[in-house]
Structures are given as structure tokens and as C-alpha cells.
Amino acid sequence: MPMPFQITSPRFQNGETIPITYTCEGENIPPPLHWEGEPPGTRSFALIVEDPDAPDPSNPQTPWVHWVLYNLPPHFHDIPESLMPESIPESARQGLNDWKRQGYGGPCPPAGRHRYVYHLYALDTVLPDLGRVTRAQLASVMDGHILAETTLVGTYEKINKLHHHH
């Protein structure tokens, strides 16, 4: 049997807490990630990281996008610890997160414990350079090209609760 397509992190198990280093309370760098088992015919990978519990798990409004990364080459299977832009393969492109910035923004939940879903897609094509693409724009361009998808979920709740005294 071939291996299932799966994404993992050496820093947290699926469903577990994301270490503070990778959040807005820490160094705000992406966690290391590893994937394998992509189907034959994969020409590129895309990664979308989003929080389905924004702004509050008791009343989620709309997923908050933390990272949009695409055109990772098919031989690339690891996002290294403290990924610096220069260690992203030259072909890869980063889209816009919901802070309207390119690149990664770590978990920074305003209230409660949120889930952060790392969606990895194996695509049968290499996408054009889409510029400062949003998650929604990327999803529409990927439509019809997704050979397989795998997810990793981490959670985070702020450690430093700020108390506002009025």
C-alpha cells in the first residue's frame, strides 16, 4: 500500500497546542512542517493556513487566513525550522494573509482557544505567478487541479490575557 498523503510537524501532534514560538506571543515564525505520500503526477504543492474559529470560538464569523504559500516544487517536502524567505524555493510564491501582508502571521487569537488548520494541496500543475493573491483567489485558481489534500490542526490560546481597566 502506498503511504497516505499526510502533513505533520515535529513540534506538535495533530490536535495539540502549537508552541508559543510560532505565535504572535513568541517569535511569530512558521513551525517546521513535513509531508509525504503525495500522489503520482503532483507538479506543485500549495499551503493555506487558516483559523476557522475567528474571532471567537463561541461565535465564529469567518476563517482568518494566516499563510498562503504556493508553487512549492514536487521534490520539496519540508518547511524547515524558522523558515526564512530565502529558504523558500525560488519557484514558490507567498500570497496575502488577512493582515494584508505577504507571508506568515502566527496564531494571535483575541478570545478563547482557536484551531489553526494547515491545508496542504497536491496539484497537477504549476500555477502562474498570481502576485499578492488572497486565499479565495488561490482557491479558485487551484479548482480542478487538486489531486489530494491533507490537513494538520493545531490549537492556541493566548497565555498573556490583557486586562483592560476602564
Side-chain angles (χ1 to χ4, degrees):
M1 280 294 291
M3 289 218 36
F5 185 39
Q6 60 180 4
I7 180 172
T8 56
S9 174
R11 296 289 174 266
F12 62 95
Q13 296 292 312
N14 194 48
E16 285 188 357
T17 300
I18 296 170
I20 192 169
T21 303
Y22 311 113
T23 75
C24 72
E25 295 190 287
E27 293 177 52
N28 215 6
I29 56 174
L33 299 167
H34 172 75
W35 57 88
E36 54 193 44
E38 69 276 1
T42 297
R43 306 243 345 258
S44 70
F45 298 107
L47 180 71
I48 294 172
V49 181
E50 61 188 0
D51 165 7
D53 295 321
D56 185 329
S58 64
N59 182 25
Q61 304 287 326
T62 183
W64 184 268
V65 177
H66 286 260
W67 204 13
V68 174
L69 185 60
Y70 66 98
N71 280 357
L72 291 166
H75 59 79
F76 190 79
H77 289 91
D78 287 280
I79 285 175
E81 180 80 55
S82 72
L83 174 77
M84 293 297 126
E86 56 272 20
S87 59
I88 296 176
E90 214 166 284
S91 66
R93 295 287 175 267
Q94 300 195 72
L96 287 182
N97 59 40
D98 278 345
W99 286 282
K100 307 286 183 270
R101 296 197 294 265
Q102 267 179 301
Y104 174 84
C108 203
R113 177 169 290 276
H114 291 214
R115 289 168 297 156
Y116 297 88
V117 185
Y118 294 73
H119 295 273
L120 182 74
Y121 302 92
L123 306 181
D124 67 2
T125 187
V126 175
L127 299 174
D129 187 339
L130 303 166
R132 293 163 67 83
V133 69
T134 65
R135 175 206 169 284
Q137 290 164 333
L138 180 63
S140 70
V141 175
M142 290 195 304
D143 193 39
H145 292 289
I146 299 169
L147 295 173
E149 177 188 354
T150 178
T151 58
L152 171 66
V153 180
T155 68
Y156 194 72
E157 182 169 11
K158 276 206 181 145
I159 290 162
N160 301 310
K161 308 274 195 294
L162 296 174
H163 300 287
H164 297 286
H165 299 287
H166 295 291

